[in-house]
Amino acid sequence: MVESEDTAIEESGTESVQRDIKSLVRKISDNNWEIPKGHIPGMRVPGRLFVSENLLEGIEPGTIDQIANVATLPGIQKYSMAMPDAHLGYGFAIGGVAAFDAEEGIISPGGVGFDINCGVRLIRTNLQKEDVVPHIKRLTDELFNNVPAGVGSKSRFKASDKELDSAFLEGAKWAVDAGYGVEADVEHCEGNGYLEGADPAYVSAKARNRGKPQLGTLGSGNHFLEVQYVDEIYDWEMASTFGLEEGQVTVMVHCGSRGAGHQICTDHLKELSQAVKKYGIELPDKQLACAPAQSKEAQDYFKAMLCAANYAWANRQMITHWTRESFEKIFDRDAEDMGMSLLYDVAHNVAKLEEHNIDGRKKEVYVHRKGATRAFPAGHPEVPFAYRDVGQPVLIPGSMGTPSFILCGAKEAMDVSFGSACHGAGRVMSRAHAKKEFHGQSVKENLEAHGITVRATHPSVIAEEAPGVYKSSSEVVNVVHELGIARKVARVIPLGVAKG
Amino acid sequence: MPSQGKKYEYLEHTADIKFLAYGDTLEEVFENAALAMFNVIIDTGKVSGETAREVSLISPDMESLLVDWLSELLYLFEVDEIVFWKFQVKEIKEENGEYSIKALASGEEYYPESHPFETEIKAVTYNQLELEKTAEGWKAQVVVDI
């Protein structure tokens, strides 16, 4: 694995030689770089990139261009931003954060992405690492068999039209009402597991057809279901508020809105491409298609996007239920007895209407977070009551074999990043390259030698997602910690991973 | 066939998959783009069969038509569960400022045991999308989100 990390560094190093990344940015302070307004014509505000000096070297010049492109969009507030895990995306860079005036601004599907509300949740247990390690192979198998995963995977449950509508409207709450979980689950989700304003009338028949058989599936690619243990606590007070202690076993679920969300984005992107011409919006990149926030086209997309966001919360909730069942079977104990409660659930790809303080005035803005996490601080009314004294949990998944992090939204987030933090490690190597570099079976054996059990539908998935293809997640979270937008609480290490 | 007889080739992309498709005609480049896309999902060399779907679409410009064509095939793959490997674009034409395609996509029904999938494609994007007539024929560049 050490070899692969070296290769990853060489790769990004080669790219940075092609166009000197430092000549494109201006240092504001440690971990904070400006992309000046002149970077491309038409920028309304400067760009801001939150990275360490070391991580800056790995940023592709195209990512800088994408941050600058977003800065040209009407009604953008303060800065077009990108988090330390930034890399090339479509339209917006992955890791991109931008807020647009609710009246004068725009809404863009490119600022959310195809996998609407791809997100992460963390389930606590009262089990200790040593309780689980002897059973980890059987437990991982059970999770892999119980939670459908893989390309085109179908759910154990096929939603009726009525159930699909309820999932679109009520998200995790629908799933709990349908028997997939407990009341307390929804209280521990961002936005209580659903967003108001969703309207299935704006979801196409195609998106519905893709959505019905996939509700309750993990999907493929970087999505996973992982059994972990807490190996390090950085802040004892916050950890205790979050109900975390060293050695404790947790489960992380990383997935999104599946085909329903992908199709909703595809459909509305098409509509909005036409709207761009209608409203005479100049775009540096077609994938930034958008419309004035109050226009019919933008609002239609927004109502459909909220359906996909809610679907994703329902999806993660159903997976939570089957996770509890899997633990119950392997340990022959009730989930409640094993303390299997939800710590929190966060969205990584979503646009929301939020109130922020901008230049001393309270303002309604559409905050687009694409590969970024909301990170509201202590005292914010949207932080669940149980965490309001410390701040919102921010969940940052690693990759197989690398740690994930639990952070807590902090005060500076509201001033610096519209209440946002990073979302993961970010790739440094293409999937094709990864498949040449790594062999799925040997990556699996190597991980098993380190005590990590992996189950996947295909060995190539393991090669594509090998730990060496990602940036160091600890370096990424250190940046947001040092900036004071989210504080490190705990680190978790994988024990068993189920993947598409 | 342009580019030394290649139907398509994959290019380096950090997070997703980018490919170039070639063709002597516009119809052929659309066919080869579809083949390139399905070879991301599965080894189409291992698929046969003749279960077919007709595809008929209208788009406001030619680039959108390419995105719509590939998106439609992805949709049919997921919902009708057909693994496509053969594409026959009968006609692409422009009329009243709109572009239309009539095509037939063939493949076989999906069986989990005999179709080991490689990679899931979430969507076809407009990112770095290029469709152009070159001295040798037609060339299309497509990035798909995986």
Side-chain angles (χ1 to χ4, degrees):
Chain A
M1 250 183 292
V2 172
E3 264 178 32
S4 61
E5 276 167 16
D6 287 344
T7 316
I9 291 159
E10 272 175 31
E11 269 296 291
S12 50
T14 316
E15 284 189 30
S16 66
V17 173
Q18 289 165 1
R19 206 167 136 199
D20 180 19
I21 200 83
K22 276 202 171 163
S23 69
L24 306 176
V25 294
R26 191 169 69 87
K27 188 169 183 173
I28 299 290
S29 59
D30 284 348
N31 300 313
N32 192 350
W33 307 79
E34 182 164 276
I35 299 141
K37 265 171 94 174
H39 182 80
I40 62 159
M43 285 173 73
R44 295 167 197 259
V45 294
R48 283 287 167 93
L49 174 61
F50 305 119
V51 286
S52 62
E53 198 126 4
N54 187 36
L55 284 171
L56 182 66
E57 295 295 331
I59 296 286
E60 299 141 306
T63 305
I64 303 285
D65 296 341
Q66 289 186 330
I67 299 167
N69 289 344
V70 172
T72 70
L73 297 175
I76 187 163
Q77 305 291 303
K78 287 166 87 169
Y79 307 104
S80 164
M81 300 178 227
M83 292 293 149
D85 45 347
H87 66 82
L88 272 178
Y90 314 112
F92 283 57
I94 308 292
V97 176
F100 301 92
D101 186 286
E103 299 297 327
E104 310 292 322
I106 53 92
I107 297 176
S108 173
V112 175
F114 285 98
D115 199 354
I116 296 163
N117 192 3
C118 176
V120 175
R121 62 169 50 191
L122 193 90
I123 304 157
R124 291 174 287 227
T125 76
N126 59 21
L127 303 173
Q128 290 293 302
K129 183 187 172 192
E130 52 273 22
D131 300 330
V132 171
V133 166
H135 307 284
I136 193 64
K137 285 196 165 61
R138 274 204 317 131
L139 179 62
T140 310
D141 282 340
E142 186 64 25
L143 289 166
F144 185 69
N145 293 332
N146 237 343
V147 179
V151 180
S153 54
K154 288 204 176 284
S155 183
R156 298 163 54 185
F157 162 91
K158 186 174 182 346
S160 67
D161 276 305
K162 194 165 168 276
E163 287 163 331
L164 187 66
D165 281 340
S166 301
F168 281 153
L169 287 168
E170 297 171 29
K173 185 179 174 305
W174 163 77
V176 167
D177 289 347
Y180 297 94
V182 294
E183 269 316 304
D185 291 343
V186 294
E187 288 161 25
H188 291 87
C189 289
E190 177 172 332
N192 293 320
Y194 83 105
L195 286 166
E196 270 180 45
D199 189 343
Y202 299 97
V203 177
S204 71
K206 279 185 172 175
R208 297 181 70 91
N209 288 341
R210 288 178 76 172
K212 276 189 232 171
Q214 292 185 347
L215 191 53
T217 63
L218 198 58
S220 185
N222 60 350
H223 294 159
F224 62 74
L225 171 56
E226 187 170 282
V227 182
Q228 319 159 321
Y229 70 96
V230 178
D231 91 311
E232 193 166 358
I233 301 270
Y234 303 101
D235 188 306
W236 290 96
E237 191 198 333
M238 285 182 198
S240 140
T241 307
F242 287 173
L244 296 171
E245 58 180 33
E246 264 181 28
Q248 178 185 5
V249 169
T250 56
V251 185
M252 190 174 264
V253 181
H254 180 204
C255 66
S257 48
R258 310 286 289 115
H262 311 160
Q263 189 70 41
I264 284 170
C265 183
T266 299
D267 293 339
H268 285 268
L269 204 49
K270 195 176 170 181
E271 294 297 317
L272 288 167
S273 300
Q274 298 312 304
V276 167
K277 294 174 199 161
K278 181 175 158 189
Y279 296 106
I281 301 170
E282 294 268 336
L283 291 183
D285 175 356
K286 211 172 169 180
Q287 194 74 38
L288 282 176
C290 60
Q294 295 307 321
S295 68
K296 181 176 177 344
E297 292 89 342
Q299 286 299 318
D300 288 358
Y301 162 70
F302 194 66
K303 289 169 194 160
M305 186 273 297
L306 294 175
C307 288
N310 292 342
Y311 179 102
W313 272 306
N315 193 30
R316 292 196 285 274
Q317 185 61 45
M318 292 173 82
I319 291 171
T320 301
H321 179 68
W322 292 323
T323 298
R324 286 183 172 130
E325 283 188 346
S326 303
F327 271 72
E328 284 175 339
K329 184 172 170 190
I330 297 301
F331 295 100
D332 196 22
R333 285 171 67 187
D334 280 349
E336 204 182 331
D337 183 43
M338 288 181 280
M340 295 186 76
S341 60
L342 190 62
L343 173 75
Y344 203 55
D345 177 311
V346 291
H348 283 167
N349 290 2
V350 81
K352 284 176 149 182
L353 184 60
E354 291 174 3
E355 191 179 78
H356 284 273
N357 200 329
I358 295 161
D359 303 327
R361 275 180 51 220
K362 279 191 175 170
K363 216 171 178 183
E364 293 246 287
V365 287
Y366 284 99
V367 182
H368 292 57
R369 297 188 182 94
K370 184 190 191 181
T373 313
R374 198 186 72 173
F376 283 171
H380 196 287
E382 281 204 41
V383 177
F385 186 70
Y387 310 135
R388 203 162 296 164
D389 288 346
V390 291
Q392 175 208 311
V394 174
L395 309 172
I396 312 292
S399 57
M400 286 178 311
T402 59
S404 298
F405 290 85
I406 298 149
L407 289 85
C408 181
K411 190 175 153 285
E412 293 299 317
M414 297 315 268
D415 296 330
V416 174
S417 60
F418 294 108
S420 316
C422 59
H423 90 307
R427 294 186 78 91
V428 288
M429 191 189 292
S430 73
R431 286 169 161 93
H433 191 145
K435 279 198 273 193
K436 277 184 222 151
E437 197 73 33
F438 306 111
H439 185 258
Q441 190 56 32
S442 51
V443 173
K444 187 168 180 254
E445 282 164 14
N446 197 348
L447 287 167
E448 286 188 353
H450 287 83
I452 302 164
T453 302
V454 183
R455 294 286 180 267
T457 48
H458 199 273
S460 68
V461 173
I462 301 178
E464 287 175 12
E465 295 294 319
V469 309
Y470 285 93
K471 289 180 200 181
S472 152
S473 48
S474 52
E475 214 173 332
V476 167
V477 299
N478 280 342
V479 171
V480 297
H481 178 85
E482 285 165 19
L483 279 169
I485 56 184
R487 312 286 301 175
K488 289 196 311 188
V489 178
R491 184 172 82 165
V492 295
I493 301 286
L495 289 171
V497 191
K499 287 192 72 76
Chain B
M1 184 84 64
S3 197
Q4 291 86 44
K6 265 190 232 165
K7 287 184 175 180
Y8 57 85
E9 62 185 307
Y10 297 106
L11 306 176
E12 188 69 9
H13 193 291
T14 309
D16 289 300
I17 286 177
K18 176 156 82 175
F19 59 80
L20 285 176
Y22 305 99
D24 286 335
T25 62
L26 188 58
E27 282 79 6
E28 200 173 45
V29 82
F30 271 57
E31 289 171 359
N32 289 338
L35 192 62
M37 183 177 79
F38 272 89
N39 266 316
V40 173
I41 302 171
I42 195 167
D43 180 354
T44 61
K46 292 178 181 163
V47 184
S48 59
E50 293 290 337
T51 300
R53 286 289 180 276
E54 287 202 21
V55 177
S56 183
L57 300 163
I58 299 173
S59 302
D61 54 66
M62 203 134 69
E63 288 176 342
S64 301
L65 189 68
L66 178 62
V67 171
D68 291 347
W69 154 246
L70 297 173
S71 301
E72 182 71 12
L73 293 171
L74 270 188
Y75 170 76
L76 291 171
F77 157 63
E78 219 172 81
V79 173
D80 288 0
E81 300 187 345
I82 300 171
V83 184
F84 295 109
W85 66 289
K86 209 161 80 178
F87 307 92
Q88 210 187 335
V89 176
K90 293 170 190 164
E91 183 186 59
I92 294 175
K93 67 175 180 188
E94 187 200 347
E95 215 168 46
N96 304 325
E98 287 185 323
Y99 293 79
S100 65
I101 185 170
K102 284 193 168 51
L104 193 70
S106 313
E108 64 184 1
E109 279 180 38
Y110 158 64
Y111 294 108
E113 296 75 24
S114 52
H115 295 133
F117 286 112
E118 293 277 334
T119 304
E120 183 167 48
I121 295 179
K122 288 178 183 165
V124 183
T125 79
Y126 285 96
N127 189 44
Q128 299 177 37
L129 182 69
E130 286 169 23
L131 179 59
E132 56 176 3
K133 198 168 194 295
T134 65
E136 294 87 36
W138 283 86
K139 188 173 85 171
Q141 178 174 277
V142 180
V143 178
V144 292
D145 187 356
I146 61 171

